Amino acid sequence: MLFTHALPLLISAFDLITATFISGLIILSVLSLCFIFHLRFKSKSITHLQGFNSLWTVRFLLVLFIFLWSITELLRLPFFRRKYLYPFVPSFSISQQANLCKVHIVLSLGFFEPAFLVTLLFLLNASIKTKTPKNNDKWAITSVLLTCLPFATLQALLIFFAPFENRVPAETSVVLNDGYGFETVLCAYPFLSSVLFAVFGVTYSTWFLFSCWRVLSLVINKGLRMRIYVLAWIVLVAIPLQIVALGFSVRWSPHQEVHGVVSLVGFLAVFCCATTGEGILVIKPISDALDAGGNYCVWTPQTRAWQLEETEPAGVVVRLEGG
């Protein structure tokens, strides 16, 4: 599909706003990685941090998937591709640029976003254990792969082969001529791809709600309970909001301003999940652990009361990640 009018200024503004938020998320991800590795190195010499540090790989996965999702979102933006990509790869044809949009959809909706959401859920569940988890890094990687690889494969089949293209629109990009002979490819989310992600989103939200209820039933620390409430509220609002935005984006072509508004809303929903996840499950607990030493709350049957311990004893334990 070819449009022969200039790229609307409002669409460029939406791209610039999105790129600004992505830059902030990348900076936050780098900061989170610094916290993770700082704790990793410090735990080698401080005994009471070693148990808390057992989740460092899971936190690293969360930040890594968020970082990679941010990069794929940059590839979606015509502003970014035109300014930072095409000068270095001037031979990109229109069909190659359209394929770049397909790769973006598969990686973003099909793998990186589901992967960081699954990792976030794994990290939430790992915050309460009867003992320090062993081999949780292998289990986290296995969980992500088993959940996300089949989903990404289905997305790839729908995007690259479009088996139902004759019945359901499968448009992943449009070509816009700016009036000066330069053609820009705008990415779009096809209907079936959005439906498939909606199935994942509904299933994940249900699973996440159950996990939050389970965690809150065990946690007695007020600060940690408040963080979980905030995380639950943002995730359970943001994911449905993104699904609705994806559904509405199918109604308009990417060259229309209203499509830019809807796309920005969907992006900000995921952005809130990512920043909240890094803040609550990475930066804040590591900061508190470094300051306070990472305590454990232990149920003592003899006194029928909870008490704080710096090291993990036997018995019923709730890990107060950052207190």
mmCIF file of all heavy atoms in Angstrom, residues 76 81 95 97-106 155 158-162 165 169-175 185-191 193 254 259:
data_model
loop_
_atom_site.group_PDB
_atom_site.id
_atom_site.type_symbol
_atom_site.label_atom_id
_atom_site.label_comp_id
_atom_site.label_asym_id
_atom_site.label_seq_id
_atom_site.Cartn_x
_atom_site.Cartn_y
_atom_site.Cartn_z
ATOM 1 N N ARG A 76 11.171 -0.384 15.195
ATOM 2 C CA ARG A 76 9.821 -0.127 14.672
ATOM 3 C C ARG A 76 9.633 1.324 14.258
ATOM 4 O O ARG A 76 8.799 1.622 13.390
ATOM 5 C CB ARG A 76 8.788 -0.500 15.753
ATOM 6 C CG ARG A 76 7.355 -0.135 15.424
ATOM 7 C CD ARG A 76 6.418 -0.581 16.521
ATOM 8 N NE ARG A 76 6.650 0.122 17.772
ATOM 9 C CZ ARG A 76 6.094 1.266 18.111
ATOM 10 N NH1 ARG A 76 5.266 1.872 17.270
ATOM 11 N NH2 ARG A 76 6.342 1.836 19.280
ATOM 12 N N ARG A 81 14.911 4.533 12.388
ATOM 13 C CA ARG A 81 15.495 3.848 11.228
ATOM 14 C C ARG A 81 16.062 4.853 10.228
ATOM 15 O O ARG A 81 17.142 4.656 9.676
ATOM 16 C CB ARG A 81 14.438 2.973 10.558
ATOM 17 C CG ARG A 81 13.882 1.862 11.433
ATOM 18 C CD ARG A 81 13.226 0.784 10.588
ATOM 19 N NE ARG A 81 12.280 1.324 9.642
ATOM 20 C CZ ARG A 81 10.967 1.448 9.864
ATOM 21 N NH1 ARG A 81 10.467 1.088 11.047
ATOM 22 N NH2 ARG A 81 10.171 1.924 8.942
ATOM 23 N N SER A 95 11.188 -3.972 0.341
ATOM 24 C CA SER A 95 10.820 -5.304 0.818
ATOM 25 C C SER A 95 11.650 -5.703 2.044
ATOM 26 O O SER A 95 11.140 -6.339 2.969
ATOM 27 C CB SER A 95 11.013 -6.342 -0.294
ATOM 28 O OG SER A 95 12.374 -6.400 -0.706
ATOM 29 N N GLN A 97 12.889 -3.557 4.225
ATOM 30 C CA GLN A 97 12.368 -2.764 5.335
ATOM 31 C C GLN A 97 11.060 -3.362 5.857
ATOM 32 O O GLN A 97 10.804 -3.377 7.061
ATOM 33 C CB GLN A 97 12.125 -1.324 4.879
ATOM 34 C CG GLN A 97 13.395 -0.576 4.493
ATOM 35 C CD GLN A 97 13.107 0.817 3.995
ATOM 36 O OE1 GLN A 97 12.253 1.519 4.542
ATOM 37 N NE2 GLN A 97 13.808 1.245 2.950
ATOM 38 N N ALA A 98 10.237 -3.883 4.951
ATOM 39 C CA ALA A 98 8.993 -4.540 5.365
ATOM 40 C C ALA A 98 9.291 -5.802 6.159
ATOM 41 O O ALA A 98 8.603 -6.103 7.150
ATOM 42 C CB ALA A 98 8.147 -4.872 4.140
ATOM 43 N N ASN A 99 10.317 -6.536 5.749
ATOM 44 C CA ASN A 99 10.711 -7.732 6.510
ATOM 45 C C ASN A 99 11.234 -7.362 7.893
ATOM 46 O O ASN A 99 11.073 -8.133 8.852
ATOM 47 C CB ASN A 99 11.776 -8.520 5.746
ATOM 48 C CG ASN A 99 11.205 -9.269 4.561
ATOM 49 O OD1 ASN A 99 10.031 -9.645 4.557
ATOM 50 N ND2 ASN A 99 12.020 -9.488 3.540
ATOM 51 N N LEU A 100 11.854 -6.196 8.004
ATOM 52 C CA LEU A 100 12.313 -5.719 9.310
ATOM 53 C C LEU A 100 11.124 -5.509 10.253
ATOM 54 O O LEU A 100 11.216 -5.800 11.450
ATOM 55 C CB LEU A 100 13.107 -4.419 9.143
ATOM 56 C CG LEU A 100 13.887 -3.918 10.364
ATOM 57 C CD1 LEU A 100 14.965 -4.912 10.755
ATOM 58 C CD2 LEU A 100 14.510 -2.558 10.075
ATOM 59 N N CYS A 101 10.017 -5.036 9.714
ATOM 60 C CA CYS A 101 8.804 -4.889 10.526
ATOM 61 C C CYS A 101 8.309 -6.254 10.985
ATOM 62 O O CYS A 101 7.854 -6.411 12.131
ATOM 63 C CB CYS A 101 7.719 -4.176 9.726
ATOM 64 S SG CYS A 101 7.985 -2.403 9.512
ATOM 65 N N LYS A 102 8.375 -7.249 10.129
ATOM 66 C CA LYS A 102 7.939 -8.598 10.501
ATOM 67 C C LYS A 102 8.825 -9.165 11.608
ATOM 68 O O LYS A 102 8.325 -9.768 12.562
ATOM 69 C CB LYS A 102 7.965 -9.516 9.283
ATOM 70 C CG LYS A 102 6.966 -9.158 8.197
ATOM 71 C CD LYS A 102 7.048 -10.121 7.028
ATOM 72 C CE LYS A 102 6.023 -9.766 5.952
ATOM 73 N NZ LYS A 102 6.077 -10.702 4.805
ATOM 74 N N VAL A 103 10.130 -8.949 11.468
ATOM 75 C CA VAL A 103 11.055 -9.424 12.505
ATOM 76 C C VAL A 103 10.760 -8.732 13.831
ATOM 77 O O VAL A 103 10.780 -9.354 14.900
ATOM 78 C CB VAL A 103 12.515 -9.176 12.064
ATOM 79 C CG1 VAL A 103 13.477 -9.454 13.216
ATOM 80 C CG2 VAL A 103 12.866 -10.055 10.866
ATOM 81 N N HIS A 104 10.468 -7.429 13.756
ATOM 82 C CA HIS A 104 10.135 -6.689 14.978
ATOM 83 C C HIS A 104 8.928 -7.293 15.684
ATOM 84 O O HIS A 104 8.944 -7.483 16.908
ATOM 85 C CB HIS A 104 9.850 -5.228 14.642
ATOM 86 C CG HIS A 104 8.937 -4.563 15.628
ATOM 87 N ND1 HIS A 104 9.331 -4.230 16.907
ATOM 88 C CD2 HIS A 104 7.614 -4.220 15.531
ATOM 89 C CE1 HIS A 104 8.313 -3.691 17.545
ATOM 90 N NE2 HIS A 104 7.268 -3.679 16.750
ATOM 91 N N ILE A 105 7.875 -7.598 14.935
ATOM 92 C CA ILE A 105 6.650 -8.131 15.542
ATOM 93 C C ILE A 105 6.915 -9.476 16.202
ATOM 94 O O ILE A 105 6.482 -9.732 17.332
ATOM 95 C CB ILE A 105 5.538 -8.254 14.481
ATOM 96 C CG1 ILE A 105 5.165 -6.875 13.961
ATOM 97 C CG2 ILE A 105 4.313 -8.943 15.068
ATOM 98 C CD1 ILE A 105 4.221 -6.903 12.765
ATOM 99 N N VAL A 106 7.650 -10.344 15.504
ATOM 100 C CA VAL A 106 7.941 -11.673 16.053
ATOM 101 C C VAL A 106 8.787 -11.562 17.321
ATOM 102 O O VAL A 106 8.510 -12.222 18.331
ATOM 103 C CB VAL A 106 8.646 -12.556 15.007
ATOM 104 C CG1 VAL A 106 9.095 -13.878 15.631
ATOM 105 C CG2 VAL A 106 7.725 -12.829 13.830
ATOM 106 N N GLN A 155 3.813 -17.015 16.277
ATOM 107 C CA GLN A 155 3.826 -15.650 15.747
ATOM 108 C C GLN A 155 4.562 -15.596 14.408
ATOM 109 O O GLN A 155 4.121 -14.926 13.467
ATOM 110 C CB GLN A 155 4.480 -14.695 16.752
ATOM 111 C CG GLN A 155 3.630 -14.325 17.957
ATOM 112 C CD GLN A 155 2.564 -13.298 17.634
ATOM 113 O OE1 GLN A 155 2.231 -13.066 16.483
ATOM 114 N NE2 GLN A 155 2.009 -12.676 18.668
ATOM 115 N N LEU A 158 2.407 -16.983 11.628
ATOM 116 C CA LEU A 158 1.348 -16.053 11.240
ATOM 117 C C LEU A 158 1.887 -14.854 10.476
ATOM 118 O O LEU A 158 1.249 -14.363 9.539
ATOM 119 C CB LEU A 158 0.605 -15.565 12.491
ATOM 120 C CG LEU A 158 -0.268 -16.585 13.224
ATOM 121 C CD1 LEU A 158 -0.846 -15.973 14.494
ATOM 122 C CD2 LEU A 158 -1.386 -17.098 12.332
ATOM 123 N N ILE A 159 3.079 -14.397 10.847
ATOM 124 C CA ILE A 159 3.636 -13.192 10.231
ATOM 125 C C ILE A 159 4.254 -13.478 8.863
ATOM 126 O O ILE A 159 3.989 -12.775 7.882
ATOM 127 C CB ILE A 159 4.685 -12.550 11.167
ATOM 128 C CG1 ILE A 159 4.037 -12.059 12.459
ATOM 129 C CG2 ILE A 159 5.391 -11.398 10.458
ATOM 130 C CD1 ILE A 159 2.989 -11.004 12.258
ATOM 131 N N PHE A 160 5.077 -14.500 8.780
ATOM 132 C CA PHE A 160 5.844 -14.732 7.554
ATOM 133 C C PHE A 160 5.092 -15.572 6.519
ATOM 134 O O PHE A 160 5.367 -15.465 5.320
ATOM 135 C CB PHE A 160 7.179 -15.403 7.884
ATOM 136 C CG PHE A 160 8.180 -14.476 8.505
ATOM 137 C CD1 PHE A 160 8.367 -14.444 9.880
ATOM 138 C CD2 PHE A 160 8.921 -13.606 7.725
ATOM 139 C CE1 PHE A 160 9.286 -13.585 10.460
ATOM 140 C CE2 PHE A 160 9.844 -12.739 8.290
ATOM 141 C CZ PHE A 160 10.024 -12.726 9.665
ATOM 142 N N PHE A 161 4.166 -16.403 6.967
ATOM 143 C CA PHE A 161 3.457 -17.267 6.017
ATOM 144 C C PHE A 161 1.997 -16.864 5.815
ATOM 145 O O PHE A 161 1.387 -17.222 4.822
ATOM 146 C CB PHE A 161 3.536 -18.732 6.479
ATOM 147 C CG PHE A 161 4.937 -19.266 6.510
ATOM 148 C CD1 PHE A 161 5.663 -19.299 7.701
ATOM 149 C CD2 PHE A 161 5.561 -19.704 5.352
ATOM 150 C CE1 PHE A 161 6.959 -19.785 7.739
ATOM 151 C CE2 PHE A 161 6.856 -20.182 5.377
ATOM 152 C CZ PHE A 161 7.573 -20.228 6.574
ATOM 153 N N ALA A 162 1.429 -16.129 6.777
ATOM 154 C CA ALA A 162 0.057 -15.605 6.677
ATOM 155 C C ALA A 162 -0.909 -16.642 6.139
ATOM 156 O O ALA A 162 -1.485 -16.475 5.056
ATOM 157 C CB ALA A 162 0.042 -14.354 5.800
ATOM 158 N N GLU A 165 -4.462 -15.299 5.235
ATOM 159 C CA GLU A 165 -4.430 -13.953 4.657
ATOM 160 C C GLU A 165 -5.665 -13.666 3.811
ATOM 161 O O GLU A 165 -6.138 -12.522 3.744
ATOM 162 C CB GLU A 165 -3.173 -13.789 3.809
ATOM 163 C CG GLU A 165 -2.965 -12.384 3.285
ATOM 164 C CD GLU A 165 -1.644 -12.230 2.566
ATOM 165 O OE1 GLU A 165 -0.976 -13.262 2.318
ATOM 166 O OE2 GLU A 165 -1.276 -11.086 2.265
ATOM 167 N N PRO A 169 -7.168 -9.886 7.348
ATOM 168 C CA PRO A 169 -6.061 -9.002 6.949
ATOM 169 C C PRO A 169 -4.787 -9.311 7.733
ATOM 170 O O PRO A 169 -4.829 -9.502 8.947
ATOM 171 C CB PRO A 169 -6.586 -7.609 7.297
ATOM 172 C CG PRO A 169 -8.077 -7.753 7.309
ATOM 173 C CD PRO A 169 -8.345 -9.132 7.794
ATOM 174 N N ALA A 170 -3.670 -9.374 7.012
ATOM 175 C CA ALA A 170 -2.391 -9.716 7.646
ATOM 176 C C ALA A 170 -1.331 -8.668 7.325
ATOM 177 O O ALA A 170 -0.160 -8.989 7.147
ATOM 178 C CB ALA A 170 -1.927 -11.096 7.199
ATOM 179 N N GLU A 171 -1.739 -7.425 7.264
ATOM 180 C CA GLU A 171 -0.829 -6.340 6.909
ATOM 181 C C GLU A 171 0.144 -6.054 8.049
ATOM 182 O O GLU A 171 -0.263 -5.780 9.174
ATOM 183 C CB GLU A 171 -1.643 -5.096 6.596
ATOM 184 C CG GLU A 171 -0.839 -3.929 6.060
ATOM 185 C CD GLU A 171 -1.739 -2.758 5.725
ATOM 186 O OE1 GLU A 171 -2.356 -2.219 6.652
ATOM 187 O OE2 GLU A 171 -1.825 -2.399 4.537
ATOM 188 N N THR A 172 1.427 -6.143 7.767
ATOM 189 C CA THR A 172 2.453 -5.871 8.780
ATOM 190 C C THR A 172 3.179 -4.552 8.535
ATOM 191 O O THR A 172 3.940 -4.109 9.400
ATOM 192 C CB THR A 172 3.498 -6.992 8.801
ATOM 193 O OG1 THR A 172 4.102 -7.109 7.500
ATOM 194 C CG2 THR A 172 2.864 -8.326 9.174
ATOM 195 N N SER A 173 2.960 -3.933 7.375
ATOM 196 C CA SER A 173 3.630 -2.664 7.083
ATOM 197 C C SER A 173 2.930 -1.977 5.919
ATOM 198 O O SER A 173 2.234 -2.609 5.125
ATOM 199 C CB SER A 173 5.115 -2.890 6.746
ATOM 200 O OG SER A 173 5.237 -3.718 5.590
ATOM 201 N N VAL A 174 3.126 -0.670 5.838
ATOM 202 C CA VAL A 174 2.671 0.112 4.694
ATOM 203 C C VAL A 174 3.834 0.998 4.258
ATOM 204 O O VAL A 174 4.746 1.280 5.044
ATOM 205 C CB VAL A 174 1.437 0.974 5.027
ATOM 206 C CG1 VAL A 174 0.255 0.114 5.433
ATOM 207 C CG2 VAL A 174 1.763 1.983 6.122
ATOM 208 N N VAL A 175 3.787 1.455 3.009
ATOM 209 C CA VAL A 175 4.841 2.309 2.468
ATOM 210 C C VAL A 175 4.296 3.712 2.282
ATOM 211 O O VAL A 175 3.239 3.903 1.666
ATOM 212 C CB VAL A 175 5.375 1.759 1.133
ATOM 213 C CG1 VAL A 175 6.486 2.669 0.594
ATOM 214 C CG2 VAL A 175 5.883 0.346 1.309
ATOM 215 N N VAL A 185 8.805 2.976 5.364
ATOM 216 C CA VAL A 185 7.976 1.825 5.725
ATOM 217 C C VAL A 185 7.493 2.008 7.155
ATOM 218 O O VAL A 185 8.290 2.215 8.072
ATOM 219 C CB VAL A 185 8.770 0.506 5.583
ATOM 220 C CG1 VAL A 185 7.943 -0.666 6.119
ATOM 221 C CG2 VAL A 185 9.139 0.267 4.136
ATOM 222 N N LEU A 186 6.188 1.948 7.335
ATOM 223 C CA LEU A 186 5.576 2.048 8.657
ATOM 224 C C LEU A 186 5.090 0.672 9.083
ATOM 225 O O LEU A 186 4.411 -0.017 8.326
ATOM 226 C CB LEU A 186 4.396 3.031 8.641
ATOM 227 C CG LEU A 186 4.687 4.438 8.104
ATOM 228 C CD1 LEU A 186 3.407 5.263 8.107
ATOM 229 C CD2 LEU A 186 5.766 5.117 8.915
ATOM 230 N N CYS A 187 5.433 0.279 10.301
ATOM 231 C CA CYS A 187 5.076 -1.055 10.794
ATOM 232 C C CYS A 187 3.653 -1.059 11.337
ATOM 233 O O CYS A 187 3.171 -0.060 11.891
ATOM 234 C CB CYS A 187 6.048 -1.502 11.885
ATOM 235 S SG CYS A 187 7.762 -1.680 11.324
ATOM 236 N N ALA A 188 2.989 -2.200 11.195
ATOM 237 C CA ALA A 188 1.627 -2.388 11.699
ATOM 238 C C ALA A 188 1.521 -3.770 12.329
ATOM 239 O O ALA A 188 2.269 -4.691 11.978
ATOM 240 C CB ALA A 188 0.615 -2.233 10.572
ATOM 241 N N TYR A 189 0.580 -3.914 13.264
ATOM 242 C CA TYR A 189 0.351 -5.203 13.916
ATOM 243 C C TYR A 189 -0.859 -5.876 13.281
ATOM 244 O O TYR A 189 -1.977 -5.356 13.354
ATOM 245 C CB TYR A 189 0.102 -5.015 15.420
ATOM 246 C CG TYR A 189 1.300 -4.485 16.163
ATOM 247 C CD1 TYR A 189 1.353 -3.149 16.575
ATOM 248 C CD2 TYR A 189 2.380 -5.315 16.450
ATOM 249 C CE1 TYR A 189 2.454 -2.659 17.251
ATOM 250 C CE2 TYR A 189 3.493 -4.817 17.127
ATOM 251 C CZ TYR A 189 3.518 -3.494 17.528
ATOM 252 O OH TYR A 189 4.614 -3.002 18.192
ATOM 253 N N PRO A 190 -0.676 -7.036 12.646
ATOM 254 C CA PRO A 190 -1.813 -7.725 12.019
ATOM 255 C C PRO A 190 -2.792 -8.261 13.059
ATOM 256 O O PRO A 190 -2.445 -8.454 14.226
ATOM 257 C CB PRO A 190 -1.142 -8.867 11.243
ATOM 258 C CG PRO A 190 0.164 -9.084 11.915
ATOM 259 C CD PRO A 190 0.587 -7.751 12.453
ATOM 260 N N PHE A 191 -4.015 -8.512 12.599
ATOM 261 C CA PHE A 191 -5.094 -8.888 13.501
ATOM 262 C C PHE A 191 -4.803 -10.190 14.245
ATOM 263 O O PHE A 191 -4.927 -10.258 15.476
ATOM 264 C CB PHE A 191 -6.401 -9.004 12.707
ATOM 265 C CG PHE A 191 -7.560 -9.479 13.522
ATOM 266 C CD1 PHE A 191 -8.177 -8.637 14.433
ATOM 267 C CD2 PHE A 191 -8.031 -10.778 13.399
ATOM 268 C CE1 PHE A 191 -9.246 -9.074 15.207
ATOM 269 C CE2 PHE A 191 -9.100 -11.224 14.159
ATOM 270 C CZ PHE A 191 -9.707 -10.366 15.062
ATOM 271 N N SER A 193 -2.031 -11.750 14.821
ATOM 272 C CA SER A 193 -0.907 -11.617 15.739
ATOM 273 C C SER A 193 -1.362 -10.967 17.041
ATOM 274 O O SER A 193 -0.944 -11.370 18.137
ATOM 275 C CB SER A 193 0.200 -10.784 15.088
ATOM 276 O OG SER A 193 1.279 -10.598 15.965
ATOM 277 N N PRO A 254 -1.234 2.713 9.629
ATOM 278 C CA PRO A 254 -0.137 3.365 10.364
ATOM 279 C C PRO A 254 0.137 4.807 9.953
ATOM 280 O O PRO A 254 0.769 5.543 10.709
ATOM 281 C CB PRO A 254 1.069 2.469 10.052
ATOM 282 C CG PRO A 254 0.483 1.141 9.770
ATOM 283 C CD PRO A 254 -0.818 1.416 9.066
ATOM 284 N N HIS A 259 -3.702 6.141 14.731
ATOM 285 C CA HIS A 259 -2.909 4.920 14.902
ATOM 286 C C HIS A 259 -1.690 5.203 15.770
ATOM 287 O O HIS A 259 -1.305 4.376 16.609
ATOM 288 C CB HIS A 259 -2.488 4.370 13.545
ATOM 289 C CG HIS A 259 -1.767 3.052 13.623
ATOM 290 N ND1 HIS A 259 -0.412 2.954 13.927
ATOM 291 C CD2 HIS A 259 -2.199 1.774 13.456
ATOM 292 C CE1 HIS A 259 -0.054 1.681 13.922
ATOM 293 N NE2 HIS A 259 -1.108 0.952 13.656
#
